[in-house]
Amino acid sequence: MLILIFGNSHENYIAESAENIFYDQFFKWNTEVMDTTGVKDGITLETNSYNDPNIIIADIDEKSLQKLGHYYSWDRSIHAKVIENLGKGGAAAVAFDILFKDADFGKKKATQCQQILTELDPDTSHTKFFTQIQSYYNYDSMLVEATHNSNICIVSFLMPHVSYYKNKSDWEPLSTWERAKEVGFSSTFQLNQVDKPQDIESRQLLDNVFPELANAGARLGAVNAYPDNDGTVRRIKMLYKFPYVENDKLAPQRIYSTLSLMTILHLFHKDPKDVKIKMGQYIDIGKPFGIYRDTLGEYHTTYPNFTYPMFTALRDKMKQIKASGVKKANLVETSSKIIAKRNEDGHIVFDIFIDDEQQLDSKLSRILRRLPIGIFDKLEGTSSIDLKFGYKISKSEDDEGVYVITDENDEEFFITPSILKTIHFYEPSYRHIKIGEYINLSRHMDISYNREKDEWSASNSFFTNNILQEIAKATDEQISNLKAGEELRFGPYKKIPIDKEGQFLIKFKGRFNKVTPNTRTFKHVSYYDIYRDSINLDQYAGKTIILGSSVSALFDIVNGPHEENLPAILVHASTIKNILEDDYLTIMKERYQRYAVILLALICTFVGLYFRSFASLLFVIGISVLYTLFAFFCFKHNIYIGVSKQLLAIISTNMFAMVVQAYFENKEKKFIESSFKQYISPELIDEMVAGGITPELGGEESKITAYFTDIQGFSTFSEKIGSASKLVELLNEYLTAMTDVLMKNKGTLDKYEGDAIIAFFGAPKPYTEHAQCACDTALDMQSELLRLRKKWHSEGNKWPQVVHDMHMRIGINTGNIVTGNMGSTMRKNYTMMGDEVNLAARLESAAKQYGAYIHICKNTIDQLVEQGINDQYIYRTLDIIRVVGKDEPVETFELIGYTNDENADTLNKLCKLWEQARTAYLDMQWDKAIELFTQCLEFEPHLPGRDPGSKTCPSEVYIKRCKAYKQNPPAHAGEKWDGIFTATEK
């Protein structure tokens, strides 16, 4: 058990399995998606999309397999076309969760064709056609070319064990340094970039990618996603060493990373050699966005397909919005889509997209290439300016910052200053394009601003508020002072948390199965649609596209902590999303978890030792529930603090403490019983001696008064006193004094039960004033206890404070009770039995719930009233209570004092106020009742602070109860409430 509680859950299978139960359940609660899609009046109503704005899954789905055939029969031109279309659409990154193990560049197909031709025409040599046929089937080169030309592809590979292969000859070429050199090192880390490279796992093979494709990609990353011991993927290892070197011998090695991390480095335009890694802490990849100057001094941005003119236009528009003073700016366009191409006549023309597509002819395109940017300033003082070829330019009357160019036929073309700047900026780039070729100079982007929150957002959600804030703060001087090869970065530093083995804990979002596409975390677009559709490509602009499959038939399915049968592509998508959003889930370090375990164990041990078993059990249940809820709250805020070990510590330590407490309490009880068993009723002894009666079994029923007393919190006395002999001395003195009072008032001692005195009045010798005698005994015992407390206090440090503050509770009830000799033929005792006896015992126990010390039933008060002696006492109604074990409620009272006591006036004032408060309470006038009960506090004799050792008083109890009922009334408005309170404890 100690191993389970204090051991590392990652190194102990049982501990790990127990912890995973709570970890996975928290994930299920946290990723639950409420799909409110419905139909009303024949119209489908849908909620806002849950889809991530940055990441799209290019899904080889059922539709793709139906349209294009079985996946393994596809030629690679399909993938090449998909990559080409995504590149045209302006995707920022295309990550392969698809493996391309090898390539023959059409040789196999060409050889087959040559064989067929030879069989058909054996007399003719067909060798001269081999190259031509091979080029026709060279789909591998198409894929490599499309990957290289796009410059946005992150190619994938696997790093398996040699056990995946049967023959050494198959895997050995994949395990060498030569294999590493073939694939290339542009996407690897050096060992000296890691503080503890020895902690990184070495893998035996670099597999499932052919070198030409690996070198064509912008980056290269592994798609290893191995599950935990129970088959669930909760984390992904971010770092691997290759080649495998036994016993860490000196040999060349590089560190490879995952598809997800390489995708992030591509988006950040971050060279792997600039990354810093601290095992057990983080991977530092720096700030996410920046601008830089190349060796020629030209400016660029780090984000793919986000051009420098788009950056300058963004800054200019942000300055304008700030200067305008508007409270909110929504969807303000900062840049427009611009395409430069060379038409069939050999002229450069532009397609400009402002609201709608505008196809400019060669004349207007030539004008814009030569139009000075200062033309817009000149338009401030005039209505229009004539241009060449019959064109005129003027300011738009409808849109701020937009200008209109009209030709001789009054056809209008719209431009903005940023469009003209972009055309001028890229003049050297598009000047040399060939006929039919085109270049995307800019893409659409808009921003929004909330001045009250000082918060920016952009249509390209990669540009977060933090990035945009730093862009806005950048000065023109900072930008102009950049030297060739320098960069200026924006946004917060990205530090990806990893454990000591280099693993990243994945925070999955939402669900995939059994939800609508709109409520999935990521938008899934059919692979076939991307392959066939070359028109609607702008939806991919600025997005990260992950190529993969969600179809179970392709066996790329894993189990996640939140749901089973999860497409493995979502592992990589979720990791990328976590990093982009700085949304990291971490597990509290084992050291701190042990501190929590020790603290909870100490608390539960204390409660188990010093509180009664029932209270201790309630505490354990309560603290277990509260801790679990607190752990889930922390989980929702991205830290898992551990649950199973802590709950095990709570339960086991408390149970152990309860056993220890039970052992010592039982020992203490036996000691008290053996010491005081000689005390039996003197009246019974006298009667038996006088009558010569031998004890026999039997009894008779009569109306008498039952009497129970108990010392408050006695279970803590023995520890506080520290000596059994002193405890005996204390009890002897206390019980002697109380028994003397009892005998003086004609009481019959039934028995002692530890510190409790059980007695009755009216038997064996009957008398009618038994209720009066019981009340006198109760008040006199409380007075005697005050005297004893003063005495004990005067004895200095002999007794602890708990003795100085001793209180006793008394329960009294009158009714028909059976008394007589009960027991065996060997041993008998004159005692009492019956429901009324049980009620008296319940009243004594229930007194602690009210902070009352003499708790009597209405039966006893009725007896006093019947005899006309109730005016000798001061008492108040306490409650209408349904005690444990009885269905019928009883009205109870608190006996406070004699009418001739010194403080009688104060007590009478208390009773008067109390009855008014009780009336308001029964009428459910909670505010009035609270006010009156609060006034009662001034006169309460046992108010904590006024009476040392008193824990509460009836007024305080009722104030709390009124406040609770105010929130949750015991009866509906307009209903009559019976005022009954049901006790939950004996």
Side-chain angles (χ1 to χ4, degrees):
M1 183 173 289
L2 290 176
I3 294 175
L4 290 179
I5 294 176
F6 295 106
N8 190 321
S9 59
H10 294 301
E11 299 171 359
N12 184 290
Y13 178 74
I14 297 177
E16 180 184 10
S17 300
E19 203 64 72
N20 286 340
I21 293 172
F22 293 95
Y23 182 88
D24 294 354
Q25 187 60 52
F26 285 179
F27 246 120
K28 290 171 184 175
W29 290 342
N30 202 43
T31 57
E32 192 70 39
V33 175
M34 298 299 294
D35 183 6
T36 56
T37 303
V39 177
K40 183 178 181 180
D41 300 330
I43 300 173
T44 301
L45 306 175
E46 295 187 357
T47 58
N48 292 331
S49 176
Y50 283 71
N51 299 156
D52 183 273
N54 278 318
I55 302 169
I56 294 176
I57 307 297
D59 195 350
I60 302 174
D61 55 3
E62 295 288 354
K63 177 181 179 181
S64 303
L65 298 178
Q66 290 173 3
K67 295 287 187 180
L68 300 173
H70 193 278
Y71 174 73
Y72 296 107
S73 68
W74 292 7
D75 63 64
R76 290 173 178 174
S77 66
I78 294 174
H79 302 294
K81 182 64 175 177
V82 167
I83 294 168
E84 182 183 339
N85 283 345
L86 292 174
K88 288 179 180 179
V94 178
F96 292 13
D97 189 26
I98 302 173
L99 297 168
F100 299 98
K101 182 175 176 62
D102 48 32
D104 69 349
F105 300 97
K107 290 180 182 179
K108 183 178 180 180
K109 288 283 187 181
T111 300
Q112 291 174 345
C113 288
Q114 190 175 18
Q115 290 173 349
I116 293 171
L117 290 173
T118 301
E119 291 175 3
L120 294 174
D121 188 6
D123 298 330
T124 305
S125 175
H126 304 286
T127 306
K128 60 182 178 180
F129 299 113
F130 182 83
T131 303
Q132 185 177 351
I133 296 172
Q134 181 182 356
S135 65
Y136 181 80
Y137 288 109
N138 193 357
Y139 303 125
D140 297 323
S141 290
M142 292 181 189
L143 175 61
V144 172
E145 184 179 359
T147 300
H148 178 268
N149 292 341
S150 71
N151 199 32
I152 56 173
C153 290
I154 298 86
V155 179
S156 63
F157 63 96
L158 269 179
M159 303 189 82
H161 290 287
V162 296
S163 58
Y164 282 75
Y165 290 89
K166 291 183 178 180
N167 303 315
K168 183 177 181 180
S169 58
D170 293 332
W171 61 259
E172 190 171 31
L174 305 173
S175 65
T176 65
W177 180 249
E178 293 302 318
R179 170 64 172 172
K181 289 196 290 186
E182 282 181 353
V183 171
F185 302 118
S186 62
S187 297
T188 63
F189 307 120
Q190 302 261 8
L191 295 182
N192 59 14
Q193 291 178 246
V194 186
D195 62 338
K196 297 177 182 178
Q198 68 275 12
D199 292 345
I200 299 175
E201 180 187 358
S202 291
R203 301 297 285 189
Q204 296 171 312
L205 304 178
L206 200 163
D207 197 2
N208 292 92
V209 66
F210 59 94
E212 293 82 0
L213 182 62
N215 288 286
R219 287 281 181 265
L220 180 71
V223 288
N224 293 42
Y226 298 114
D228 292 340
N229 293 325
D230 60 354
T232 300
V233 175
R234 298 181 181 88
R235 47 185 63 81
I236 185 169
K237 191 162 286 191
M238 303 293 278
L239 306 167
Y240 295 102
K241 287 187 296 189
F242 180 83
Y244 180 80
V245 178
E246 290 187 6
N247 302 321
D248 289 330
K249 294 179 181 177
L250 290 177
Q253 277 186 310
R254 287 295 182 99
I255 298 171
Y256 293 77
S257 188
T258 59
L259 179 75
S260 52
L261 180 57
M262 285 299 130
T263 302
I264 294 295
L265 294 185
H266 167 71
L267 293 174
F268 289 10
H269 196 262
K270 192 77 174 180
D271 194 320
K273 71 175 184 294
D274 296 326
V275 173
K276 297 178 182 178
I277 302 170
K278 286 197 173 185
M279 299 300 289
Q281 296 185 50
Y282 56 78
I283 301 174
D284 184 355
I285 57 177
K287 294 189 173 186
F289 177 73
I291 59 172
Y292 64 96
R293 298 186 78 168
D294 61 18
T295 54
L296 300 176
E298 293 185 357
Y299 286 94
H300 304 272
T301 74
T302 58
Y303 192 72
N305 290 322
F306 185 80
T307 62
Y308 184 73
M310 292 176 69
F311 171 77
T312 57
L314 172 64
R315 288 186 69 239
D316 292 342
K317 189 61 68 174
M318 292 175 73
K319 289 179 181 178
Q320 291 177 19
I321 293 173
K322 278 276 193 179
S324 69
V326 296
K327 292 184 178 180
K328 283 189 178 181
N330 295 318
L331 304 177
V332 178
E333 187 176 86
T334 62
S335 56
S336 304
K337 181 179 178 181
I338 307 171
I339 298 175
K341 58 187 178 183
R342 192 176 293 276
N343 63 16
E344 295 179 355
D345 297 329
H347 300 297
I348 297 293
V349 295
F350 302 108
D351 290 346
I352 298 174
F353 296 77
I354 298 183
D355 295 332
D356 297 313
E357 180 180 1
Q358 303 176 117
Q359 295 184 345
L360 279 56
D361 61 17
S362 59
K363 290 181 180 180
L364 182 53
S365 297
R366 194 180 313 132
I367 290 173
L368 293 183
R369 291 171 66 186
R370 291 168 173 76
L371 191 66
I373 195 67
I375 189 85
F376 301 110
D377 295 329
K378 295 179 181 179
L379 283 170
E380 295 298 326
T382 182
S383 59
S384 65
I385 296 176
D386 291 331
L387 306 175
K388 291 182 178 181
F389 309 118
Y391 288 98
K392 292 183 179 181
I393 184 170
S394 60
K395 292 182 66 175
S396 172
E397 296 179 357
D398 300 324
D399 300 313
E400 182 70 25
V402 178
Y403 296 84
V404 183
I405 297 177
T406 55
D407 61 11
E408 294 175 337
N409 299 321
D410 291 331
E411 185 177 358
E412 295 181 335
F413 301 90
F414 299 94
I415 66 167
T416 64
S418 67
I419 291 175
L420 192 59
K421 288 179 182 178
T422 302
I423 291 173
H424 289 180
F425 183 86
Y426 279 105
E427 176 74 27
S429 299
Y430 59 71
R431 184 185 298 166
H432 303 294
I433 60 176
K434 299 176 182 178
I435 293 175
E437 293 182 343
Y438 68 92
I439 298 177
N440 281 295
L441 307 184
S442 177
R443 295 191 180 275
H444 172 79
M445 181 172 172
D446 54 50
I447 58 173
S448 300
Y449 180 63
N450 186 321
R451 184 174 296 275
E452 182 180 350
K453 297 180 179 179
D454 190 25
E455 190 172 88
W456 296 92
S457 61
S459 57
N460 186 337
S461 57
F462 174 85
F463 293 91
T464 62
N465 176 56
N466 290 329
I467 295 175
L468 295 173
Q469 290 282 6
E470 292 199 13
I471 290 174
K473 293 175 183 176
T475 64
D476 294 336
E477 184 180 4
Q478 284 178 295
I479 296 173
S480 61
N481 287 343
L482 281 178
K483 298 177 182 178
E486 291 184 343
E487 66 177 9
L488 178 63
R489 287 273 176 173
F490 309 96
Y493 280 95
K494 295 275 187 179
K495 290 187 176 182
I496 305 168
I498 55 174
D499 64 18
K500 63 182 181 180
E501 297 176 357
Q503 296 182 118
F504 174 81
L505 199 61
I506 306 167
K507 184 179 180 183
F508 291 97
K509 301 290 189 70
R511 299 291 181 91
F512 176 80
N513 300 300
K514 299 181 181 179
V515 294
T516 62
N518 201 46
T519 53
R520 287 174 176 166
T521 305
F522 302 101
K523 181 179 181 181
H524 289 244
V525 179
S526 174
Y527 213 75
Y528 176 80
D529 290 340
I530 302 174
Y531 171 67
R532 286 297 186 193
D533 188 2
S534 58
I535 299 174
N536 303 309
L537 300 179
D538 284 344
Q539 62 177 310
Y540 311 118
K543 303 289 194 297
T544 296
I545 315 298
I546 306 179
L547 311 183
S549 177
S550 64
V551 178
S552 58
L554 297 183
F555 304 108
D556 196 14
I557 301 295
V558 298
N559 291 329
H562 58 315
E563 62 178 335
E564 297 179 344
N565 300 321
L566 187 73
I569 192 172
L570 299 184
V571 172
H572 310 296
S574 298
T575 304
I576 294 170
K577 179 178 175 66
N578 293 164
I579 297 171
L580 288 177
E581 296 178 352
D582 284 321
D583 192 9
Y584 304 123
L585 178 62
T586 58
I587 296 178
M588 189 165 70
K589 292 183 178 179
E590 288 289 337
R591 180 172 71 255
Y592 299 124
Q593 290 196 45
R594 291 191 187 104
Y595 294 159
V597 166
I598 293 170
L599 178 61
L600 290 168
L602 290 175
I603 293 173
C604 292
T605 300
F606 176 81
V607 172
L609 288 174
Y610 296 105
F611 288 83
R612 295 184 181 275
S613 297
F614 183 72
S616 182
L617 180 62
L618 287 181
F619 176 82
V620 167
I621 295 172
I623 196 171
S624 298
V625 171
L626 288 175
Y627 181 83
T628 304
L629 293 176
F630 175 71
F632 180 61
F633 173 82
C634 293
F635 184 87
K636 289 179 71 68
H637 290 79
N638 289 346
I639 181 168
Y640 181 71
I641 63 175
V643 179
S644 64
K645 291 185 290 187
Q646 289 79 354
L647 292 187
L648 184 58
I650 289 171
I651 295 169
S652 60
T653 55
N654 188 264
M655 288 181 64
F656 174 76
M658 287 172 63
V659 170
V660 172
Q661 184 202 48
Y663 171 77
F664 284 105
E665 281 193 351
N666 187 52
K667 186 177 180 181
E668 187 176 289
K669 289 286 186 182
K670 286 182 178 179
F671 168 75
I672 294 173
E673 288 174 1
S674 63
S675 299
F676 299 102
K677 63 182 179 181
Q678 67 271 25
Y679 292 98
I680 61 173
S681 169
E683 288 84 354
L684 178 59
I685 295 174
D686 293 342
E687 185 176 330
M688 290 171 61
V689 171
I693 302 173
T694 303
E696 293 179 356
L697 298 177
E700 73 178 295
E701 183 180 276
S702 60
K703 189 173 185 180
I704 62 173
T705 299
Y707 186 94
F708 284 77
T709 76
D710 191 27
I711 296 177
Q712 176 178 280
F714 182 74
S715 61
T716 62
F717 275 43
S718 61
E719 181 186 359
K720 297 292 184 181
I721 293 173
S723 168
S725 60
K726 290 183 67 177
L727 179 63
V728 172
E729 178 185 350
L730 176 70
L731 274 177
N732 281 340
E733 184 174 8
Y734 165 79
L735 291 174
T736 298
M738 297 302 124
T739 305
D740 289 342
V741 173
L742 178 69
M743 301 304 171
K744 182 185 71 174
N745 288 288
K746 299 192 293 185
T748 300
L749 177 64
D750 187 327
K751 64 177 74 71
Y752 299 122
E753 284 190 355
D755 59 297
I757 300 174
I758 302 174
F760 47 90
F761 297 82
K765 183 180 179 180
Y767 52 90
T768 57
E769 65 273 23
H770 49 82
Q772 179 184 8
C773 291
C775 292
D776 290 344
T777 301
L779 292 173
D780 293 347
M781 278 189 176
Q782 295 291 0
S783 299
E784 183 64 14
L785 180 58
L786 285 176
R787 184 191 67 78
L788 287 175
R789 286 168 58 182
K790 291 178 182 178
K791 174 182 176 295
W792 293 330
H793 190 274
S794 67
E795 292 173 355
N797 296 327
K798 179 179 179 181
W799 304 108
Q801 187 64 38
V802 69
V803 175
H804 299 168
D805 298 337
M806 182 190 290
H807 282 72
M808 64 185 297
R809 293 187 301 269
I810 300 171
I812 302 173
N813 181 40
T814 300
N816 292 324
I817 298 171
V818 175
T819 57
N821 294 314
M822 300 179 193
S824 68
T825 55
M826 296 294 296
R827 186 177 181 88
K828 308 177 184 66
N829 188 33
Y830 193 84
T831 187
M832 59 179 170
M833 293 180 62
D835 285 344
E836 303 298 340
V837 176
N838 294 334
L839 178 57
R842 297 291 186 272
L843 292 178
E844 179 276 320
S845 179
K848 64 183 176 183
Q849 300 182 38
Y850 298 92
Y853 293 101
I854 305 177
H855 197 188
I856 61 179
C857 186
K858 188 175 185 296
N859 296 338
T860 304
I861 296 294
D862 290 343
Q863 184 78 9
L864 297 176
V865 172
E866 181 181 337
Q867 294 175 357
I869 54 175
N870 60 301
D871 56 357
Q872 298 179 16
Y873 306 96
I874 301 174
Y875 56 91
R876 57 176 167 180
T877 57
L878 196 58
D879 207 346
I880 303 173
I881 184 172
R882 184 181 287 114
V883 298
V884 175
K886 291 184 71 69
D887 295 328
E888 291 297 322
V890 294
E891 186 176 1
T892 65
F893 296 77
E894 182 188 16
L895 184 62
I896 305 176
Y898 292 106
T899 54
N900 59 357
D901 282 348
E902 293 180 357
N903 61 341
D905 291 339
T906 301
L907 297 178
N908 285 322
K909 290 178 182 178
L910 170 63
C911 291
K912 184 177 180 180
L913 270 174
W914 176 269
E915 294 306 323
Q916 295 175 18
R918 278 277 299 170
T919 300
Y921 166 82
L922 293 172
D923 291 336
M924 295 193 294
Q925 300 177 23
W926 308 121
D927 291 332
K928 181 179 179 181
I930 291 170
E931 180 183 356
L932 290 169
F933 283 127
T934 303
Q935 293 177 29
C936 290
L937 292 175
E938 182 181 351
F939 308 106
E940 284 285 357
H942 299 294
L943 182 71
R946 183 177 297 150
D947 179 14
S950 182
K951 297 181 179 180
T952 186
C953 66
S955 294
E956 286 187 339
V957 171
Y958 267 86
I959 290 170
K960 291 178 182 178
R961 192 187 293 180
C962 288
K963 290 179 179 179
Y965 282 163
K966 185 177 178 181
Q967 297 296 323
N968 298 289
H972 296 294
E975 293 182 359
K976 181 66 177 177
W977 179 42
D978 57 14
I980 296 172
F981 177 78
T982 300
T984 58
E985 295 181 6
K986 292 185 178 181

